[in-house]
Amino acid sequence: MRFELASVPGTAERPNEDWASLSLPATGQGGSLVVLDGVTPPRGGDGCVHGVPWFTSHLGGALLELSGSRRDMPLSEVLALSIRRTADTHRESCDLSHARTPQATVVAVRWDGESVEHLVLSDSTLLLESPNGVVHAVLDDRLDRIPREVLRSVSATDALRNQDGGFFTAAADPGVAARAVTGTTPRGDVRAVAALTDGASRWTDLFSEGSWAELMGLLRKEGPHGLVGRVRALETADAGRGGGKRWKIHDDATAVYAEFQDPVGPPGA
């Protein structure tokens, strides 16, 4: 199997708020990967003394551990328990009722010899590639449905966070896990997967450099570091033209690429 990961901060002045990791059991059968994109709060605070990187590392660690140790739970339940555990670690010191309490988008994938299970919450992207090269993008597009002029208002955006008619992220309420986009695909129907924060998916969904299938081909050829490098070049060129394509010149960018071996093969293959 082939696994590659890249996570690059948007600027040197701020810590990377993305988090990504993967795990493979000692048996060599199956595995899990998790990618989080921490939501940068606007000025004015978020009621938490720890900050977004602390939150994403705690939530990501819980998600990765539980996705492996609680294979009896669907990923939506794993996410709910992970959110609850993370909230419990700072419930006494922080205001978890604050609309901007630390939060993150989520992509989680778990596989074994029979199936590939996935979960997507908010605007990170999961790509599933079939053995014949067809790429399916798993997207939670609720944030995209909100007009940009609404999102430019902090108060209007706060009113839509984790609310019906708005958008959902992993924050302090385990109930949002039920809002995630989930599914299961037969293992033999998946050749490779890619998980991307929106800082990496810009190559396709912002700059329109190629389709999701072409992005998957780029990952296979150049790896996640190659993709992020191309995104950075596009961002720099866009900034030189006045920056009409994005709100941030550079965003934290994370990509995980996993290429599976044939599930049907001789022992030890």
Side-chain angles (χ1 to χ4, degrees), residues 8 16 147 199 239:
V8 180
N16 190 345

Side-chain angles (χ1 to χ4, degrees), residues 214-246:
E214 288 168 324
L215 188 152
M216 201 68 160
L218 174 61
L219 284 170
R220 178 173 293 106
K221 182 179 179 181
E222 300 184 12
H225 281 284
L227 170 64
V228 173
R230 286 177 176 264
V231 169
R232 287 291 184 259
L234 290 165
E235 291 168 335
T236 299
D238 182 53
R241 294 189 294 268
K245 283 286 190 181
R246 74 291 169 275

Side-chain angles (χ1 to χ4, degrees), residues 53-259:
W54 177 93
F55 173 78
T56 54
S57 65
H58 279 69
L59 178 62
L63 261 170
L64 193 67
E65 187 272 316
L66 289 169
S67 66
S69 66
R70 294 302 307 269
R71 299 191 73 88
D72 58 308
M73 283 185 172
L75 284 177
S76 57
E77 292 183 19
V78 167
L79 176 59
L81 181 53
S82 300
I83 291 172
R84 183 177 295 110
R85 284 189 178 182
T86 303
D88 287 345
T89 63
H90 66 141
R91 194 179 303 281
E92 299 302 318
S93 59
C94 304
D95 177 11
L96 303 189
S97 67
H98 197 294
R100 297 190 297 273
T101 189
Q103 50 203 269
T105 75
V106 182
V107 176
V109 184
R110 180 170 62 184
W111 63 92
D112 57 23
E114 300 297 323
S115 64
V116 178
E117 182 184 3
H118 67 261
L119 178 149
V120 176
L121 185 66
S122 200
D123 62 345
S124 289
T125 298
L126 172 67
L127 302 179
L128 302 173
E129 183 181 44
S130 69
N132 63 5
V134 175
V135 174
H136 171 58
V138 181
L139 305 169
D140 175 358
D141 66 353
R142 281 169 286 205
L143 187 59
D144 292 334
R145 300 177 201 167
I146 300 171
R148 283 190 171 268
E149 56 269 23
V150 174
L151 295 176
R152 290 190 182 99
S153 166
V154 172
S155 59
T157 302
D158 284 349
L160 293 170
R161 292 183 189 276
N162 294 320
Q163 299 293 328
D164 287 328
F167 61 98
F168 296 90
T169 57
D173 177 12
V176 301
R179 307 287 190 149
V181 178
T182 60
T184 302
T185 307
R187 172 65 184 79
D189 292 344
V190 181
R191 177 170 70 185
V193 302
L196 312 165
T197 62
D198 63 347
S201 65
R202 287 178 167 194
W203 191 84
T204 289
D205 59 21
L206 181 63
F207 293 110
S208 301
E209 288 293 298
S211 66
W212 293 121
E214 288 168 324
L215 188 152
M216 201 68 160
L218 174 61
L219 284 170
R220 178 173 293 106
K221 182 179 179 181
E222 300 184 12
H225 281 284
L227 170 64
V228 173
R230 286 177 176 264
V231 169
R232 287 291 184 259
L234 290 165
E235 291 168 335
T236 299
D238 182 53
R241 294 189 294 268
K245 283 286 190 181
R246 74 291 169 275
W247 292 2
K248 299 177 182 177
I249 294 177
H250 303 297
D251 195 5
D252 298 339
T254 298
V256 177
Y257 176 74
E259 193 173 285

